Each structure stands twice: as structure tokens, then as C-alpha cells.
Amino acid sequence: MELEAELWATSMNPIARLIGSIVRVFNLILGNKRRGFIVITDKRVMEVIQFKSLWVLNSGKNVKYVLPSSVKEVGYTKHGTCFGCFCQQYNLYYESFTQATEVMLPVQDEKEAQRVVDAFYKAITAAQTAEAKNEE
């Protein structure tokens, strides 16, 4: 499963997304880009954020691997946002022994958020079960 993170908008509110899109376009004109995603497999959880300047220059990249056995909690949060209209914002979070990560989900309803969390949980559980069998 791969989940692209929303790095410009602050919520799923249409006005906040519009403002985020304007900021993103302004930064694209200046040549600044940032892209982030989380890849979840049965072997690892990988977080990647890449920064580019002047359209092509790599100005930074953060790559983090988290072992599935260290993930102790996964879920989502739902927040009501109020910026011109009332919308719900869903954030996927997971917590491991060494760090915690939270990203805004680009979903519109709770069923979609639950589907993402269920897929994350199934991948983590499968990895932890396979690791336990290998230790025996």
C-alpha cells in the first residue's frame, strides 16, 4: 500500500485546500517542490519526503524505515474543521517505540479512512506474525 501525503493543504476543507493549492502553485512557479509518501509492506514501513529547489535541484530528502515489529499502535483521528465551512479532516497515525507519525488522509468519509487503517493494520499484523514464526 502506498499513501501520498498531503503536504500543502491544512485540512480537507475546500477553502483550506484552495489556499494550499495556491501556495503550491506559487512554490512551483518559484521552483520549490515537496512530495511525501508512506509505503507499507509486510517487511517495513517507509516514510519519504523529498524537497526540490529550482525545479530540478535536490535540496533534501528524508527517508525513514520503521520495522513492523516496532509499531505498537495504528489508527485515525477525525477533526471538525471550521474555516468558512464545516468539513471533516481524517489523519492516519501510527506510533512505534521510537517515533510517531501523523499524516492527513486525502479521503472524504470515515469508511475510506477506516479502509486505509485496516490495510495498514493487516500489513503490520502479517509481518509481526511472520516474524514470530521465524523466531520459533
Side-chain angles (χ1 to χ4, degrees):
M1 176 179 182
E2 183 174 323
L3 176 65
E4 186 162 353
E6 173 59 65
L7 298 175
W8 298 102
T10 57
S11 77
M12 290 305 287
N13 178 319
I15 295 171
R17 292 182 74 190
L18 176 65
I19 292 169
S21 294
I22 292 169
V23 170
R24 181 174 155 207
V25 168
F26 183 71
N27 275 293
L28 285 175
I29 291 169
L30 296 176
N32 300 321
K33 291 167 106 178
R34 59 182 171 174
R35 183 169 180 235
F37 55 93
I38 297 175
V39 178
I40 305 158
T41 70
D42 61 347
K43 304 261 187 231
R44 70 184 66 86
V45 177
M46 183 173 84
E47 297 178 22
V48 178
I49 300 175
Q50 185 172 14
F51 305 93
K52 289 194 176 196
S53 298
L54 299 175
W55 299 280
V56 294
L57 300 175
N58 288 322
S59 61
K61 189 173 193 174
N62 299 339
V63 178
K64 184 187 307 182
Y65 289 103
V66 178
L67 296 175
S69 60
S70 71
V71 175
K72 56 184 181 171
E73 185 176 345
V74 62
Y76 70 91
T77 60
K78 176 181 171 181
H79 304 282
T81 60
C82 178
F83 186 69
C85 69
F86 293 94
C87 294
Q88 298 300 316
Q89 173 184 334
Y90 298 93
N91 294 321
L92 168 75
Y93 74 90
Y94 68 91
E95 193 171 317
S96 70
F97 291 111
T98 58
Q99 56 97 40
T101 297
E102 185 172 341
V103 294
M104 188 175 82
L105 292 172
V107 299
Q108 298 294 329
D109 65 8
E110 202 158 348
K111 286 183 182 180
E112 292 178 69
Q114 186 65 51
R115 184 186 58 79
V116 172
V117 171
D118 288 344
F120 191 115
Y121 179 78
K122 286 177 186 175
I124 297 299
T125 303
Q128 290 176 347
T129 303
E131 187 176 304
K133 286 181 181 179
N134 288 338
E135 289 178 1
E136 292 177 355

